[in-house]
């Protein structure tokens, strides 16, 4: 099977032949790939692996069972052994963002000119700390746009550089920082994700002589970035292996996906609401048409009844007039009455209106 050993892309059949030709421990060295990753690739592509003890049975010339390669829909697609895997979708997006040369995720060691928002926030924070009136951050944020940077002077410069880099990346992507309801957000796709940068504090439980315990908070030398509302907050913190600055692509990716989620959800809700309104309007139109139709039917019966009554009255007046003439009783009062009555039935007869 040496024909495939130098290849980084294999068909399912080629990879299947390899994993059944030699143990995984040997194959991983040949293919320069981790055992765990190779097993994941085989699992992803439905490639069966030998069971435990298979290679021992081979060495002692015992009968073994070789599981056949199942057929799948995309049976002939090539498998890239060097393809990266990602724990989550936002990790995948973070990797893609890092490949974009116009996005500078590296936080510099020093900054000569801060972004205007960072510059003004830096001044406001310094004013808060030097205030004789002991102003609080939340008080200033009621009147001024100030970045949520909550650190002591030891971590301040680093926090400012981090936030400066984050803002410039956000703007390079075509988005912006927005201050609404006295809170700082990243705004993407018309949606807001709240952000906060603070110095991590650890709770310390202290017991007194009586055994009662109380809590106190001790500042650490670690930075922590928070994104999203309190009920769905994502946090990144300095660790032993990675500092907060290294998480910046993941932070941006998470915020982007969060904003995109709410954008798409609200777009779907708007479409659903529009459909609901159109359906409601259609039902109302159908109801209106039915009411109009029923009104026409009702009017038809009214018109027919009025026509019938007008015919009855006309015959009655004719009989009255003929009788009065025959009996020589027709006088002015009776004539006036008959004229008036015929005007009434003319108004009553709906056919007179329809053919005028």
């Amino acid at each position: 099977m040496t024909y495939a050993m130098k290849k980084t892309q294999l068909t399912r059949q080629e990879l299947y032949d390899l994993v059944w030709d030699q143990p995984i421990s040997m194959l991983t060295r040949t293919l320069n790939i981790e055992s765990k990753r190779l097993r994941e690739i085989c699992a992803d592509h439905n490639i069966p692996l030998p069971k435990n003890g298979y290679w021992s049975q081979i060495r002692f010339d015992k009968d073994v069972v070789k599981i056949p390669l199942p057929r799948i829909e995309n049976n002939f697609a090539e498998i890239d052994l060097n393809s990266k895997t990602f724990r989550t979708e936002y990790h995948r997006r973070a990797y893609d963002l890092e490949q974009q040369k116009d996005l500078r995720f590296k936080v510099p060691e020093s900054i000569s000119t801060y972004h205007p928002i960072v510059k003004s926030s830096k001044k406001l924070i310094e004013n808060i700390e030097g205030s004789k009136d002991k102003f609080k951050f939340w008080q200033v944020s009621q009147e001024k746009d100030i970045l949520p940077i909550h650190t002591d002077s030891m971590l301040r410069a680093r926090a400012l550089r981090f936030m400066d880099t984050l803002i410039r990346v956000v703007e390079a992507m075509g988005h912006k920082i927005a201050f609404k309801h006295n809170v700082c957000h990243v705004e993407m796709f018309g949606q807001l994700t709240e952000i906060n940068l603070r110095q991590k504090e650890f709770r310390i439980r202290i017991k007194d002589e009586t055994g009662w315990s109380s809590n106190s908070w001790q500042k650490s030398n670690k930075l922590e970035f928070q994104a999203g509302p309190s009920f769905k907050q994502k946090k990144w913190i300095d660790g032993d292996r990675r500092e907060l600055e290294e998480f910046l692509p993941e932070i941006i990716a998470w915020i982007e996906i969060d904003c995109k989620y709410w954008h798409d959800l609200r777009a779907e809700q708007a479409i659903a609401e529009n459909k609901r309104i159109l359906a409601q309007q259609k039902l109302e139109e159908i109801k209106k048409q039915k009411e109009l139709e029923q009104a026409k039917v009702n009017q038809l019966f009214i018109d027919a009844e009025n026509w019938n009554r007008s015919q009855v009255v006309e015959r009655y007046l004719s009989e009255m007039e003929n009788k009065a003439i025959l009996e020589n009783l027709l006088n002015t009062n009776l004539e006036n009455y008959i004229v008036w009555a015929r005007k009434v039935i003319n108004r009553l007869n709906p056919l007179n209106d329809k053919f005028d």
Side-chain angles (χ1 to χ4, degrees):
M1 290 290 174
T2 56
Y3 70 93
M5 293 306 178
K6 295 183 180 180
K7 297 174 65 175
T8 60
Q9 289 189 326
L10 305 172
T11 65
R12 285 183 72 240
Q13 184 65 55
E14 288 174 334
L15 185 53
Y16 169 80
D17 292 338
L18 285 173
V19 297
W20 287 91
D21 181 65
Q22 57 184 290
I24 291 289
S25 57
M26 297 175 58
L27 188 57
T28 53
R29 290 195 295 270
T30 306
L31 296 176
N32 192 26
I33 187 173
E34 292 182 355
S35 173
K36 179 181 178 181
R37 176 60 186 142
L38 182 56
R39 292 179 184 277
E40 288 175 348
I41 291 175
C42 290
D44 290 341
H45 295 276
N46 197 16
I47 298 174
L49 296 175
K51 301 294 184 182
N52 291 336
Y54 177 85
W55 299 108
S56 296
Q57 293 174 326
I58 290 290
R59 284 198 303 272
F60 292 102
D61 294 325
K62 293 185 177 181
D63 293 334
V64 293
V65 176
K66 184 176 181 179
I67 304 173
L69 177 64
R71 292 189 62 82
I72 61 174
E73 183 177 348
N74 195 13
N75 200 43
F76 299 100
E78 288 196 335
I79 301 168
D80 186 357
L81 299 180
N82 292 332
S83 62
K84 292 182 68 66
T85 57
F86 303 93
R87 285 181 292 158
T88 67
E89 184 58 31
Y90 91 84
H91 284 95
R92 179 186 298 276
R93 179 57 178 158
Y95 175 80
D96 292 339
L97 289 173
E98 282 188 282
Q99 309 313 305
Q100 298 183 26
K101 295 181 179 179
D102 58 328
L103 301 180
R104 299 180 180 179
F105 286 100
K106 184 174 177 56
V107 178
E109 293 295 328
S110 63
I111 295 179
S112 58
T113 304
Y114 285 112
H115 186 283
I117 298 177
V118 178
K119 183 177 180 180
S120 63
S121 295
K122 177 177 181 292
K123 184 66 175 177
L124 289 170
I125 293 171
E126 290 171 352
N127 290 341
I128 292 172
E129 292 181 338
S131 171
K132 294 181 179 179
D133 298 322
K134 303 296 182 181
F135 285 127
K136 302 296 183 182
F137 182 94
W138 65 267
Q139 292 174 304
V140 176
S141 67
Q142 304 294 309
E143 300 179 1
K144 303 287 186 179
D145 292 342
I146 180 172
L147 291 170
I149 298 175
H150 307 282
T151 69
D152 59 20
S153 57
M154 179 181 66
L155 293 177
R156 182 70 44 72
R158 182 182 163 208
L160 291 169
R161 294 197 307 273
F162 177 88
M163 196 66 84
D164 189 276
T165 306
L166 180 144
I167 293 173
R168 293 181 189 278
V169 170
V170 167
E171 292 182 345
M173 293 172 64
H175 307 299
K176 65 180 181 179
I177 299 297
F179 296 89
K180 295 187 179 181
H181 310 299
N182 308 319
V183 176
C184 180
H185 307 81
V186 174
E187 181 174 345
M188 296 183 175
F189 316 111
Q191 305 301 312
L192 302 174
T193 295
E194 183 179 344
I195 60 172
N196 184 51
L197 180 60
R198 69 171 188 164
Q199 185 170 356
K200 179 66 175 177
E201 293 184 348
F202 294 100
R203 184 174 64 178
I204 299 176
R205 189 178 297 275
I206 302 173
K207 286 187 177 182
D208 59 21
E209 296 176 354
T210 64
W212 288 95
S213 62
S214 61
N215 295 325
S216 66
W217 296 89
Q218 180 177 343
K219 290 183 177 180
S220 71
N221 61 350
K222 297 179 182 293
L223 281 179
E224 180 182 49
F225 187 86
Q226 302 167 333
S230 57
F231 64 89
K232 186 197 169 188
Q233 195 173 68
K234 179 68 175 175
K235 300 177 181 181
W236 296 264
I237 186 172
D238 282 329
D240 295 333
R241 296 183 179 180
R242 298 176 70 189
E243 292 187 330
L244 183 64
E245 288 81 351
E246 297 178 57
F247 291 107
L248 188 53
E250 296 175 21
I251 291 172
I252 296 296
W254 190 93
I255 293 173
E256 182 188 55
I257 290 175
D258 182 62
C259 287
K260 188 68 165 59
Y261 166 80
W262 290 109
H263 169 272
D264 293 348
L265 177 63
R266 283 165 182 149
E268 291 174 3
Q269 291 172 336
I271 292 172
E273 178 64 12
N274 188 52
K275 288 182 178 179
R276 187 195 67 78
I277 292 173
L278 291 175
Q280 182 65 28
Q281 290 175 342
K282 186 175 181 180
L283 289 174
E284 291 175 356
E285 182 63 26
I286 292 173
K287 180 181 177 181
K288 182 179 179 180
Q289 292 300 324
K290 287 183 177 180
E291 290 174 348
L292 290 173
E293 180 67 17
Q294 187 60 48
K296 289 171 65 177
V297 170
N298 294 340
Q299 189 61 47
L300 173 63
F301 284 105
I302 292 172
D303 290 345
E305 181 62 25
N306 287 338
W307 175 83
N308 185 59
R309 291 166 64 190
S310 70
Q311 298 305 304
V312 171
V313 174
E314 176 60 37
R315 289 197 299 273
Y316 166 72
L317 293 175
S318 296
E319 288 295 326
M320 178 188 295
E321 186 178 27
N322 291 334
K323 181 177 176 58
I325 292 173
L326 289 174
E327 295 180 1
N328 198 25
L329 297 174
L330 189 61
N331 54 40
T332 302
N333 289 336
L334 184 59
E335 288 178 344
N336 289 338
Y337 175 78
I338 292 173
V339 169
W340 169 83
R342 284 202 166 107
K343 287 181 180 179
V344 171
I345 63 173
N346 280 338
R347 292 196 301 270
L348 183 64
N349 189 347
L351 294 182
N352 291 333
D353 293 333
K354 294 186 182 298
F355 295 101
D356 284 346

